[in-house]
Amino acid sequence: MLREQDVELGALGLLRQSGFDLRHGPELGPDAPQAERASFADVVLQARVAAALQRLNPRLPRETLDGVARTLAHPPHPTLIQNNRWLHGLLVDGVPVEYRDAKSGEMRGGCARLVDFDQPQANDWLAVRQLTITGAAGKSIRPDLLLFLNGLPVVVIELKDPADEQADLGVAMAQLKRYMATTPDLFVPNVLCAVSDGLLTRVGSITAGASRYMPWRPLADEGGAPTLEALIRGLLEPRTLLDYLRACVTFEEDERGDIVKKIAGYHQFRALRKGRASVLAHLKPEGDGRGGVVWHTQGSGKSLTMLMLAGSLIREPRLANPTVVLITDRNDLDDQLFDTFAAGRALLRQPPVQAAGRAHLKDLLDRAAGGVVFTTIQKFAEGAGVISERHNVVVMADEAHRSQYGFVEGGARWMREALPGATFVGFTGTPLEGDDKNTIHVFGEYADVYDIRQAVVDGATKPLYYESRIVKLKVDEEGLRVAEQEVEYAVNADRDGEVAPGRYRVPLESLVGAPERIERLAAFIACHWEERRAAMEGKAMVVTMSRDIAAGLYEAIRALRPDWHDADDERGAMKVVVTGSGDDPEPLRSHVRTKAARKRLAERFKDPADDLRLVIVCDMWLTGFDCPPAHTLYLDKPLAGHNLMQAIARVNRVYGDKPGGLIVDMLGLADQLADALATYTQAGGTGEAVRQVQGEAVPAMQAAFEKLRDFFHGCDYAAALHAEPHDVLALYLRAIDHVLGQNDGWPRFRALVKELATAFALAVPRPETAAITPHLAFFQRCAAMIRKRLADDDGRHAANSRQRDVDAAVRQVIGGAVDADDVIDLFAVAGLDEARLDILGDDFLQRVAALEQKNLALQTLRKLLNDQIRITERSNLVQSRKFREALEDALSRYTNKAISTAEMISRLIDLAKSLRQARWHGEQLGLSPEETAFYDALADNESARDAMQSDTLRLMARELTEMVKKMPKLDWTQRESVRASLRRNVRRLLARYGYPPDLAEGATQLVLKQAELSTDNAP
């Protein structure tokens, strides 16, 4: 069976093959023969840093390089993320220095390189396992693997046992967070963190939450498993890691000063490498200038991939300081993409510039080299002539497939004529259509593909669900035929990137926006959204056909839900987001805002804690707009093809435990969606791009419900469904006793409730959810009551028991039990609320024994004993081991049905009394808890107890306690010389007091282990 140690050894073998030297942590310790650290607090290997600086900067004076080393050892900022950004800049660009020229005596400016990016083998690559590091508070950590680049720890890897279900990657991620809190200096040079059990591997930055640790798959084998080997061979090989370090790390800082570090997922890194290779292979004049198309599904980080590719091309020597031109076909998209590039300008080595107009664009492109220029395609005017014939111009077009670009007659054609030597790269979130020859003609074939199936499997996006809830047009049969024709014209025009002719658009708009229909639409959305929010907290968007309809719909919803409205843009749960002017009539004019005001609304909408929950739009925010908390999209606009796919993707972003996004079709676009999905499949897309609520979410909910009904077979809880919990507490106790009486009852019940809540959140408010709602409420209340009092909270289970399940928002409304203070106290209901649980008193034990619910009694005792033994484990090795063995023996006998529930309760009560008496044992001897621990270690052997007097053992325990207190405060357990010294002193003490010689070695080892425990838990 594969163990964590086997995973670690396998990783070391792969790292050695990749070019890393290997070391064991103690080999670098301060007392090691070849020590590389002055203390256990050191995270930088100073000698290796100094050697690398000398090797990479032979022309700089020694004192200057010593100053650089001192700079690296003293980060200047107060927070970890600020220091990480600072040091990353130095790794990539070097350290600015001033020095006196040895020959001329003049002061010169220069740059000290920390890394040789051109010759990876010129760097010092070291992998260290089990390196002990002590934080400022005296606590120590021991990461499984650290990768050092020229003496700086740039990668931290935490490994877990693949056979241990409790030691999952979530536990490893939580462990990394604890490491950051304990020893933040370790993470100042960090490029990336990784967690793995050998078979599953995820990578994240120091600011990444658990949902942002992404699997790392083989770069060459699309769809390959995310193994540890895939990470080491595909990313941690020195040349590859240097490429990643320089091109795939960016920092975004918001107006509040909060910094987020973003690093590339495997699909982004793969696209960067393939896109760069394609550009270089097709450079003019030798190539055809068609750099390829990158199809990465919406929501998977396409804008970030564009930024990273641009930064990589700017650094490419063959391009000799190129000009990069970013093209979009809409002003709002230009602004959104520009904001991403402006935030990541460090990757570009220059600030990007937006072209204000055609003349400005010409000025920006008429240059010798360099520059990152943003423009819309419309700014390329016919007859502009040749602006630049340079071959080191790279044009990157966002959503390159759209016919608005005018490939044949229009901006794209004139752009190519203005930049005849340029190489063109296209990015798209949706696949190219089968008959789309123009896009291929300009950009070439696919360079990289990351489709919906891959994104959902990786957790880069969430699945989309579709539901048809048509709000019908009120027309006669002939009018209906005409209306259907008009809808068809409108969606065909949208598919072709054109505006529908007025003779079709205006009548259709009048039908869709008829006052009577708007009222029905408003009533539907108000009720539907309230039920959605009751099931899952988040945000929603309504897409309307026109600005007037958007304003009218707002007024209609406002009439039904006046508390959603507020004239102040900083308040209110609902807003309309459109462009316009002061000349627009009311009520539209009241929704027209400045660009800055719309940006502020976007900030509010993206903030999950902000009360702005519902936005009504027409054209804005349908592409390139990310709002991760959004999970519902109401579609009431004729859309087709790419535009339809891009619009519905607004709700596929990853956010916490959001299970997916819901598309509510209110106009009847099922055929258009089917066409778009057919295009997706024909282009090679895999998996279900959009799933049916009725066909998948509802059956999944019903199946999960049936599992829970089966789970409660023999326990009738029906009377609790429509009653207040406080009125039927006995039923809750009976149900909880039923849960606890089954094999693995609590873990199974918890998993089943989460499964039901997930499917319920996707299906609500389908009619089928109504019958299940009271059952789910009951299940969730039971789970909350168990979790509050009986869930294990030790380190191994913490990540699982404390993580916010997807049903958290469901509980808030349906179960009424999210906050611990709001949960009915299980012990209070059982009559145990007044007892002192922490001392396991006779009164409390008698109450537990008398409980009618024997399974509850048993689990209560198990939980409390487990907690008390865990506390004892921190201080007294012998006591905790004895009681742990007794508890495990009893549980094993009970599980194997060797003893009954009543016998098990009796055993646990006896064990609780023994545990309580053991606490008094030290006091009766006149010993402190620390002295008692050593007394128990010396007296553990019965023969030794018989041979030695108690008073002698007490003296020995006191002397041992003082001896250990005088040991170094650092992690001496990793210093063999200190361990050897302690071992000698213990043996001498035992001999001096006449401890039986034949038992001395066993006692010595036990005392050493107790000493290690004492120092590990010393304040």
Side-chain angles (χ1 to χ4, degrees), residues 71 74 130 144 357-358 367 516 899 930 943 950:
T71 298
H74 297 91
Q130 303 298 328
D144 291 322
R358 290 178 177 137
R367 60 198 300 167
E516 189 272 342
I899 57 177
E930 294 84 0
S943 299
S950 178

Side-chain angles (χ1 to χ4, degrees), residues 409-640:
E409 291 293 333
R413 173 187 169 187
W414 303 324
M415 175 182 65
R416 287 184 288 134
E417 292 174 351
L419 302 170
T423 299
F424 293 82
V425 182
F427 280 80
T428 176
T430 54
L432 305 182
E433 296 184 8
D435 59 354
D436 186 353
K437 306 302 181 187
N438 293 324
T439 304
I440 296 173
H441 176 71
V442 174
F443 299 102
E445 302 291 343
Y446 288 126
D448 191 62
V449 173
Y450 188 62
D451 65 19
I452 292 172
R453 181 195 63 81
Q454 292 172 304
V456 171
V457 169
D458 288 343
T461 64
K462 291 293 182 179
L464 290 172
Y465 291 82
Y466 170 84
E467 176 177 44
S468 178
R469 300 293 288 269
I470 298 173
V471 180
K472 294 183 178 179
L473 309 177
K474 285 289 186 179
V475 290
D476 57 23
E477 188 173 334
E478 175 60 21
L480 179 61
R481 187 187 62 78
V482 173
E484 289 174 346
Q485 184 184 50
E486 289 168 353
V487 170
E488 185 177 353
Y489 271 106
V491 295
N492 287 338
D494 183 76
R495 180 186 292 111
D496 297 335
E498 301 167 357
V499 177
R503 65 181 184 276
Y504 295 113
R505 184 172 53 83
V506 175
L508 178 60
E509 185 177 326
S510 66
L511 289 171
V512 172
E516 189 272 342
R517 183 177 183 273
I518 291 292
E519 289 178 6
R520 287 186 288 119
L521 194 65
F524 168 77
I525 291 174
C527 293
H528 190 278
W529 175 235
E530 280 182 331
E531 292 186 72
R532 290 287 296 164
R533 273 199 67 196
M536 180 166 48
E537 189 55 274
K539 312 277 180 148
M541 297 176 71
V542 183
V543 184
T544 61
M545 187 176 176
S546 71
R547 298 181 308 138
D548 289 322
I549 292 175
L553 179 60
Y554 182 95
E555 295 302 319
I557 296 176
R558 173 185 175 182
L560 297 170
R561 301 290 187 274
D563 56 320
W564 293 8
H565 163 78
D566 200 296
D568 185 350
D569 273 1
E570 291 298 320
R571 302 163 63 89
M574 172 178 63
K575 298 293 178 185
V576 173
V577 182
V578 293
T579 55
S581 70
D583 297 331
D584 287 316
E586 289 292 359
L588 175 58
R589 185 168 59 207
S590 62
H591 300 293
V592 174
R593 296 175 175 85
T594 64
K595 184 176 179 180
R598 291 196 302 271
K599 184 177 181 181
R600 174 58 191 141
L601 283 185
E603 291 171 355
R604 284 193 62 200
F605 191 58
K606 292 180 181 183
D607 181 358
D610 195 286
D611 287 336
L612 178 55
R613 299 289 167 188
L614 181 71
V615 294
I616 304 171
V617 302
C618 178
D619 293 312
M620 303 200 72
W621 294 7
L622 293 187
T623 56
F625 179 78
D626 288 338
C627 177
H631 60 68
T632 305
L633 183 82
Y634 298 98
L635 200 53
D636 197 48
K637 178 179 182 175
L639 293 173

Side-chain angles (χ1 to χ4, degrees), residues 390-401:
R390 286 191 292 120
H391 295 131
N392 66 338
V393 175
V394 178
V395 177
M396 298 170 64
D398 190 20
E399 300 304 344
H401 55 77

Side-chain angles (χ1 to χ4, degrees), residues 32 79 179 253 334 371 386 451 472 484 533-534 560 585 598 602 641 649 656 725 730 788 806 842 845 917 926 963 989:
T79 66
Y179 290 170
E253 183 172 359
D334 191 51
V386 175
D451 65 19
K472 294 183 178 179
E484 289 174 346
R533 273 199 67 196
L560 297 170
R598 291 196 302 271
K788 180 172 182 176
V806 68
D842 288 334
L845 295 176
Q917 290 167 358
M963 185 188 300
L989 182 142

